[in-house]
Amino acid sequence: MNPENNFEIATLGAATNSSPLHLSKTIGDQIFNFVEDDNKILADISLNGFNVCIQNNIQPACLEKAGPREKLFFKPRNTTAAIVTCGGLCPGINNVIRSLVMALHYFYGAKRIIGIPYGYEGLIPKYGHGFRELTPEIVKDIHEFGGTMLGSSRGGQPVDEMVDTLEKNNIDMLFAIGGDGTLKGVNALGEEIEKRKLPIAVVGIPKTIDNDIDLIDKSFGFETAFDVASPIIRDAHNEATGAYNGIAIVKLMGRDSGFIAASTAIAMPVVNFVLVPEMGFALDGENGFLQALKKRLQMKKHAVIVVAEGAGQHLFEGGERLTDASGNVQHKDIGLHLKRRIKEYFDAEGTEVTIKYIDPSYIIRSAPANTNDSLFCNRMAYQAVHGAMAGKTKFVVGRLNNQFVYLPISRVVNKRKKIDLEGEFWFAALQSTGQPFSLQ
């Protein structure tokens, strides 16, 4: 099989225990049916992809459909589960925690549910964070708040020590909520667990506000991000129009991918320029950004600019390349750079402008999930529990082609998802802003 088409999910062993869920195996009885492992979802649903498989007589790439299995690896009432949250804050983390606890307790009657405080640090005894017992009563209201009730941290920890902690505390399954670095950590834990031949399932629930997890339709928190950003853009527009040649610059999250910035620009069509990491652009020159901004002011006397935090890093020369504890590049502030260069440009032109710079990043990422993200978080958490109980491991749960599926962690951490500059989504952003196709 072509490695690119291999989405096989690792398992801990044979599933021989009956599920406590009273579901059906009969179509038409109006009761939800157990999902079989051979129930697959096509990765590529295009006619062209189908024809290529027919012409080459090859099996199309398929993913395992998520859902409750009739036979389980674990005996649910003897099971201890643990939950950990890592990395930066993101709307919906508490929703996922709550739904994991509710599913483990009410669906399967899990014996014990443990919260691991402060990310992977909580699995290292020297930090002394201890554990938190999680019950439905404790988590019942946490979805109303942003952040994470468990706390978080960045950076990796010794894998062998973390597995020692899981083993010593008789933890049967670990649910890790986090982004790219967290998922790589989950996979490393799974590899060490496999070496030791331990019956511990590890599951990743992809959390990145930037929506940059490869292969899946979206990650939780993303929709809330541009939902919360939208009224900020509205107010920025008010600031811009409130002054002659008023310019409002709003910097949004998006370290390597500009989905939040572009989505906000489409949702709030008062944005006149959107700059994202995927695009190259020049500030100077006949076709550069500053000349386009000048034309905009000449016509409308105001402009709203939305820029993703990772955009325009090519404009910074030299300097030390810094990373955070998770290994992510710490980008230089493109928003402040734009503000300075715009002022210099129009000062040289003898044109008076009023510039307002707004960075709402921490407000956005700490907001509670909106309704749609809340729904998404709940459903994704349920699917994660179903998969773990069946003994599946080293997988993430995500949605692809509007279906919840299980994907091997190793497949989703190979690269980050980015905006296709030739795709309809980016074209929609350009249509909304009215900016030139190229700014260089």
Side-chain angles (χ1 to χ4, degrees):
M1 177 184 287
N2 183 343
E4 290 296 314
N5 290 348
N6 184 11
F7 290 96
E8 185 177 353
I9 302 299
T11 62
L12 297 175
T16 58
N17 298 297
S18 296
S19 172
L21 303 181
H22 301 295
L23 301 179
S24 175
K25 296 177 65 178
T26 304
I27 296 175
D29 62 1
Q30 299 185 348
I31 299 174
F32 188 77
N33 292 320
F34 285 111
V35 177
E36 303 289 341
D37 284 348
D38 60 1
N39 192 333
K40 305 286 187 178
I41 302 298
L42 288 173
D44 182 357
I45 58 174
S46 70
L47 178 60
N48 183 62
F50 172 78
N51 287 335
V52 167
C53 291
I54 293 295
Q55 291 164 8
N56 294 282
N57 194 29
I58 58 175
Q59 175 79 15
C62 298
L63 296 91
E64 198 171 301
K65 185 175 182 179
R69 269 47 178 179
E70 183 182 13
K71 293 295 182 180
L72 309 178
F73 176 80
F74 293 103
K75 293 181 178 179
R77 294 193 177 278
N78 296 336
T79 301
T80 296
I83 303 169
V84 64
T85 61
C86 306
L89 297 183
C90 173
I93 299 176
N94 279 338
N95 300 69
V96 175
I97 295 171
R98 182 186 190 278
S99 295
L100 288 172
V101 172
M102 295 302 184
L104 287 162
H105 180 88
Y106 287 114
F107 298 176
Y108 290 100
K111 180 177 68 174
R112 187 184 182 204
I113 307 168
I114 295 170
I116 309 295
Y118 303 111
Y120 285 142
E121 283 186 8
L123 290 170
I124 305 298
K126 73 175 183 181
Y127 290 104
H129 294 321
F131 293 155
R132 291 193 63 179
E133 298 292 328
L134 299 179
T135 65
E137 183 64 25
I138 289 172
V139 303
K140 66 178 183 179
D141 296 323
I142 63 172
H143 62 292
E144 298 178 12
F145 303 94
T148 165
M149 69 163 293
L150 294 176
S152 185
S153 66
R154 291 190 182 275
Q157 301 294 336
V159 173
D160 58 337
E161 292 184 36
M162 290 194 287
V163 175
D164 286 345
T165 299
L166 295 176
E167 185 177 10
K168 289 176 183 176
N169 289 276
N170 298 311
I171 293 171
D172 299 296
M173 56 186 68
L174 173 69
F175 298 93
I177 306 167
D180 184 73
T182 302
L183 297 180
K184 288 177 179 176
V186 176
N187 210 47
L189 288 170
E191 296 292 336
E192 178 65 20
I193 287 167
E194 187 176 353
K195 286 180 185 177
R196 301 190 192 185
K197 295 181 170 55
L198 299 174
I200 304 174
V202 290
V203 182
I205 300 179
K207 170 215 63 108
T208 166
I209 203 169
D210 293 348
N211 196 36
D212 59 359
I213 298 292
D214 194 29
L215 299 176
I216 61 176
D217 293 341
K218 69 171 184 176
S219 50
F220 76 82
F222 164 63
E223 287 196 12
T224 302
F226 68 84
D227 187 17
V228 175
S230 292
I232 295 171
I233 299 300
R234 177 201 61 207
D235 296 342
H237 178 254
N238 293 339
E239 287 286 348
T241 57
Y244 181 77
N245 285 341
I247 300 170
I249 304 169
V250 182
K251 186 180 76 172
L252 298 178
M253 287 158 293
R255 184 184 291 115
D256 300 295
S257 305
F259 289 104
I260 293 176
S263 297
T264 305
I266 297 170
M268 291 297 291
V270 297
V271 176
N272 308 117
F273 297 93
V274 58
L275 307 175
V276 297
E278 292 87 344
M279 66 183 290
F281 65 93
L283 292 181
D284 301 304
E286 183 179 353
N287 298 315
F289 168 74
L290 293 172
Q291 182 66 20
L293 178 59
K294 176 183 176 181
K295 292 178 181 178
R296 165 71 194 181
L297 291 182
Q298 287 173 342
M299 288 189 300
K300 298 293 185 178
K301 309 307 179 189
H302 73 275
V304 177
I305 303 160
V306 170
V307 58
E309 63 180 306
Q313 295 302 303
H314 61 285
L315 301 174
F316 299 94
E317 295 183 1
E320 185 180 358
R321 187 174 182 269
L322 301 176
T323 59
D324 62 21
S326 297
N328 300 308
V329 175
Q330 291 184 315
H331 291 313
K332 297 179 180 178
D333 197 321
I334 183 61
L336 291 175
H337 184 72
L338 283 178
K339 180 181 179 181
R340 178 177 62 81
R341 287 298 312 277
I342 290 170
K343 185 178 187 306
E344 290 174 351
Y345 176 81
F346 285 105
D347 282 350
E349 290 267 322
T351 301
E352 183 178 347
V353 295
T354 300
I355 307 172
K356 302 292 174 62
Y357 174 49
I358 303 167
D359 180 359
S361 299
Y362 290 108
I363 295 171
I364 292 171
R365 75 175 202 166
S366 60
N370 67 11
T371 303
N372 207 35
D373 256 333
S374 179
L375 182 153
F376 182 61
C377 289
N378 294 349
R379 294 181 67 191
M380 189 159 54
Y382 297 160
Q383 306 295 9
V385 171
H386 295 318
M389 282 291 177
K392 301 180 188 300
T393 189
K394 294 191 294 181
F395 74 91
V396 298
V397 60
R399 196 167 70 186
L400 178 67
N401 299 327
N402 208 33
Q403 296 277 348
F404 283 99
V405 295
Y406 298 137
L407 303 92
I409 293 175
S410 58
R411 291 301 309 274
V412 302
V413 297
N414 285 333
K415 61 180 181 179
R416 294 187 188 274
K417 182 171 67 174
K418 294 180 177 291
I419 294 174
D420 176 5
L421 296 183
E422 294 186 15
E424 187 277 333
F425 173 71
W426 180 242
F427 180 51
L430 297 181
Q431 288 179 298
S432 181
T433 62
Q435 72 191 62
F437 282 14
S438 175
L439 290 171
Q440 55 184 344

